[in-house]
Amino acid sequence: MMKVVLVGCGAMSRQWLDAARQIDGLAIAGLVDLDAERAQARAREYDLSNAVIGTSVDAVLDETKPDAVFDVVVPAARREVALSSFAHHCHLL
Ligand SMILES: NC(=O)c1ccc[n+]([C@@H]2O[C@H](COP(=O)([O-])OP(=O)(O)OC[C@H]3O[C@@H](n4cnc5c(N)ncnc54)[C@H](O)[C@@H]3O)[C@@H](O)[C@H]2O)c1
């Protein structure tokens, strides 16, 4: 099973989550957004009740220890997400 954390639960996250649920062996382990309610809404929408929800990339990666991160944030936040992902030994997509 490949565990993935998606960061950035805005408009484009739906495209990523739609694609992810068609891939056998991929589990969304966490959802991160600065707006926690936005992340919780995505979890409800995609039946991800077991996903860890948070506003801190580092905290969710610490807790879930995923294999990969889906980076769906705005460009200004990409550097932070990339550095955190690599620090946690995650692939970045
Ligand atoms: N919307 C589109 O049709 C489209 C198409 C192609 C590419 N993109 C690209 O996809 C990316 C996301 O676009 P979008 O439309 O989903 O944007 P959006 O503004 O709807 O969503 C971005 C989300 O990222 C969150 N975010 C910002 N900084 C964060 C951080 N440090 N940690 C966690 N979450 C953070 C915001 O709170 C927001 O919910 C952008 O780079 C955009 O250029 C969008």
Side-chain angles (χ1 to χ4, degrees), residues 7-13 32-35 38 57 72-75 77-78 80:
V7 185
C9 296
M12 275 304 288
S13 66
V32 182
D33 200 285
L34 297 178
D35 179 342
R38 199 171 286 183
V57 181
V72 202
V73 296
V74 292
R78 289 245 155 82
E80 175 195 337

Side-chain angles (χ1 to χ4, degrees), residues 1-78:
M1 181 65 69
M2 174 183 263
K3 287 201 295 181
V4 177
V5 167
L6 181 145
V7 185
C9 296
M12 275 304 288
S13 66
R14 287 199 173 98
Q15 313 301 319
W16 286 78
L17 292 169
D18 285 343
R21 65 182 172 187
Q22 295 180 44
I23 299 172
D24 290 336
L26 188 156
I28 299 294
L31 294 169
V32 182
D33 200 285
L34 297 178
D35 179 342
E37 173 50 36
R38 199 171 286 183
Q40 284 157 0
R42 282 291 176 273
R44 288 193 295 273
E45 190 178 342
Y46 284 85
D47 290 325
L48 297 171
S49 54
N50 292 328
V52 174
I53 307 295
T55 57
S56 158
V57 181
D58 278 334
V60 174
L61 297 187
D62 279 342
E63 185 170 346
T64 57
K65 299 183 175 29
D67 303 293
V69 169
F70 289 168
D71 174 357
V72 202
V73 296
V74 292
R78 289 245 155 82

